[in-house]
Amino acid sequence: DAIKELGDYVKEKEKLSDVEIFVDKAKLGKSTKKVLCILFQHEDDKITYTKVIPEDYKGASLYLYRRGTSRGVNISPSALITEEIGSTFENKIVNWFKNREDSLSIGIERELEKERDNIKEELVKCYKEIQEDERTNVLLTILLEENGEKKYIGELPAFKEILMQDTLKTYYSRKTIGESKGRGVCYLCGKSGEVFGFVLPSFGFSFSTADKRGFLPDFVQEEHWKEVPICKDCAISLEIGKKFLDENLSYPKRGY
């Protein structure tokens, strides 16, 4: 209840946008100094790889950084380089664009496959040129050039919509379990409506989990929403409150 109330207060006081609510600013913290941007030219519905551009970090909202699962892709095509850079590129960038159905993502995926070796070579070169004391939590992302203007994914409506929709989906969906949502009374606000079952573990409350059937009284993982049912509005407030605590009362942690 206290974290939810904190989230309500922060959201109202800071007038947070949807993007600011959902990005993982705290996981980047003050340790991320450099960013490697894979630049694509977007012209006449054609996507062409151009080069890798190293730059100074400019803020989480521009890159839409939000961590996903440790073994899967992130919510957006931005990732911290915490392993061999080629592996991060393959696992977090190339794999993100697979199975996407919008024309922009399909075009980028084709160019990633076509220029895979060239991009890897350029990434390794640019990474080695970063000063050693600035290689902690280097961020890898993509950049589009349209009509001579470079745009970050945080400036593109299509990617912002993906961030919001895929984040909301984590409140009730797990790839290994399925969906856990239903009609009920929210545990926090007491209002009746649609409630979700995976809200707490979606942003780091590890005491609530449905990964193992033994944690549930009835052993039915899809009905985890009946244990701690939380509505969309309270879920968002909880996430804001949790992030405020992470950003202001926790040491920075490395992400993926």
Side-chain angles (χ1 to χ4, degrees), residues 111-168:
E111 193 67 4
L112 285 171
E113 293 290 345
K114 176 183 174 184
E115 299 289 342
R116 183 190 300 256
D117 293 338
N118 290 335
I119 296 174
K120 278 186 181 181
E121 183 178 342
E122 190 69 15
L123 284 172
V124 171
K125 177 184 175 183
C126 290
Y127 185 73
K128 288 181 178 179
E129 291 175 352
I130 297 175
Q131 293 182 15
E132 196 165 340
D133 61 347
E134 294 183 331
R135 289 183 191 173
T136 301
N137 278 11
V138 174
L139 189 67
L140 177 60
T141 189
I142 67 166
L143 191 64
L144 286 184
E145 184 173 358
E146 299 177 332
N147 300 319
E149 181 182 359
K150 294 182 178 64
K151 293 184 178 181
Y152 298 93
I153 56 176
E155 298 174 312
L156 298 169
F159 286 99
K160 289 194 285 187
E161 182 65 20
I162 288 171
L163 171 75
M164 290 183 283
Q165 294 303 319
D166 285 7
T167 298
L168 292 175

Side-chain angles (χ1 to χ4, degrees), residues 96-107 109 162:
W96 190 92
F97 286 97
K98 292 182 177 178
N99 302 318
R100 294 280 172 181
E101 297 179 354
D102 60 287
S103 59
L104 180 59
S105 294
I106 291 172
E109 181 194 7
I162 288 171

Side-chain angles (χ1 to χ4, degrees), residues 34-66:
K34 295 293 183 180
V35 181
L36 296 181
C37 300
I38 305 172
L39 177 64
F40 297 92
Q41 186 174 31
H42 185 200
E43 186 175 352
D44 298 328
D45 295 326
K46 183 179 180 181
I47 304 292
T48 306
Y49 165 68
T50 304
K51 59 183 176 180
V52 173
I53 299 178
E55 67 175 28
D56 294 333
Y57 172 71
K58 298 178 180 178
S61 294
L62 277 179
Y63 310 110
L64 296 186
Y65 174 76
R66 184 182 175 97

